[in-house]
Amino acid sequence: MALIGIAVLITPVPLLVQLALLKMRVVLLLLLVSAGSVGAEPEKGLPRRLSCVRCCGPSEQPVSIISSRHTRMSSNPYPVPKVQPTIDITILKGEKGEMGEKGFPGAAGKDGERGLRGLNGRKGQKGQPGPQGHSCKQLFAAFSVGRRKPLHSSDYFQHVTFDTEFVNLYQHFNMFSGKFFCYVAGIYYFSLNVHTWNFKETYVHLMRNAQPAAILYAQPSDRSIMQSQSLMLDLQEGDEVWVRLFKRERENAIYSEESDVYIIFNGHLVKPAVEE
């Protein structure tokens, strides 16, 4: 019907009029086409209602839209950095409190290993002077004593005493006991001379304290002879030196006379241990 109307209007007219009419026809045609499309899809402007389609098996539970969205968000290749707040403790710190009472001492631990030797300390101050020494003590000692009487060893050991004093410096030799007492420590020289008895053995010990230091010996003979022994001893203060006879199976004796001295015991200090 519309086409018939348009055909009726086409008549011989001038060119400008024809152009105007052509424009009107085009506009009218466009209006008709748009009106037809509106009539064919009256519900295009309204939102469609989505229909559900089963995508899983009967035993599986359908995944909700929210959980699937959360899964997509959690699998984001660019995660959001976590922000952890920090608190400045110095702002919250209070004033320093008072010192508490001292606690009980703990148990003693095990001894550790010995450490390295330390450096030498500084030299100390000079000490006080010591006690005053014996001003009367002389660093000398010497004696020479003899015996005018003969002696036989009736006992196992026979102590030899002397009755003649030749030299006894500072009385270091005791004539009663027959022993030399060391008052000055040092090196001493001692000598012993005896006269043997015919057909009798001579066996004499030169003693230091309770130990024999040397032996003077002569075998029995039909002739009497002079026999001697000497030695040096390093004595300490308080040591004693003396002479004794030693008896064995045979008779032991030393000979002397009242008119002559055949038995002589000598000793003197060679070098004191501490010199002035």
Side-chain angles (χ1 to χ4, degrees), residues 2 20 23 33 48-49 53 61 65 84 87 93 96 99 103 109 117 141 152 157 167 177 182 189 200 214 220 229 276:
K23 292 179 179 180
V33 171
R48 296 183 184 181
R49 182 174 298 176
V53 178
Q61 296 294 333
I65 298 175
Q84 296 182 353
I87 301 175
K93 185 177 180 180
K96 186 177 180 180
M99 186 176 180
R117 183 177 181 180
H152 291 262
F157 291 115
V167 175
S177 64
C182 177
Y189 173 81
K200 294 182 181 181
Q229 179 65 283
E276 289 184 338

Side-chain angles (χ1 to χ4, degrees), residues 73-272:
M73 290 179 67
S74 63
S75 62
N76 189 4
Y78 304 100
V80 180
K82 295 182 180 180
V83 180
Q84 296 182 353
T86 57
I87 301 175
D88 190 357
I89 301 177
T90 57
I91 300 176
L92 305 177
K93 185 177 180 180
E95 296 181 357
K96 186 177 180 180
E98 297 181 355
M99 186 176 180
E101 297 180 357
K102 186 177 180 179
F104 296 101
K110 297 181 179 180
D111 294 338
E113 297 180 358
R114 186 175 182 179
L116 300 176
R117 183 177 181 180
L119 302 177
N120 295 329
R122 296 181 179 179
K123 186 177 180 180
Q125 298 179 356
K126 187 177 181 180
Q128 298 180 356
Q132 185 176 1
H134 300 284
S135 59
C136 298
K137 186 174 183 179
Q138 302 293 331
L139 298 182
F140 302 98
F143 72 92
S144 179
V145 294
R147 181 181 175 93
R148 295 179 181 272
K149 295 179 181 181
L151 183 64
H152 291 262
S153 58
S154 58
D155 299 326
Y156 188 71
F157 291 115
Q158 179 81 15
H159 189 174
V160 179
T161 58
F162 299 87
D163 51 24
T164 303
E165 183 179 273
F166 299 107
V167 175
N168 192 3
L169 189 62
Y170 308 118
Q171 302 299 311
H172 290 179
F173 189 90
N174 190 328
M175 296 296 294
F176 179 77
S177 64
K179 294 182 178 181
F180 169 75
F181 187 86
C182 177
Y183 287 93
V184 181
I187 307 298
Y188 285 80
Y189 173 81
F190 297 96
S191 65
L192 177 63
N193 298 294
V194 299
H195 192 282
T196 64
W197 204 309
N198 295 351
F199 305 104
K200 294 182 181 181
E201 186 178 44
T202 302
Y203 199 145
V204 182
H205 282 161
L206 186 62
M207 303 293 295
R208 176 182 180 178
N209 298 324
Q211 299 296 327
I215 297 174
L216 187 151
Y217 179 75
Q219 291 182 347
S221 175
D222 57 351
R223 297 185 342 177
S224 61
I225 60 174
M226 293 295 297
Q227 193 80 352
S228 66
Q229 179 65 283
S230 62
L231 77 163
M232 299 181 70
L233 294 175
D234 185 4
L235 299 182
Q236 303 297 323
E237 186 174 354
D239 286 346
E240 293 179 332
V241 180
W242 50 288
V243 180
R244 76 178 182 184
L245 285 177
F246 179 74
K247 183 180 180 181
R248 298 197 296 179
E249 294 82 5
R250 290 175 289 191
E251 188 178 5
N252 186 16
I254 51 178
Y255 177 80
S256 188
E257 293 180 357
E258 292 288 342
S259 59
D260 295 316
V261 179
Y262 290 93
I263 304 170
I264 298 176
F265 183 31
N266 300 323
H268 67 274
L269 176 64
V270 177
K271 184 179 183 301

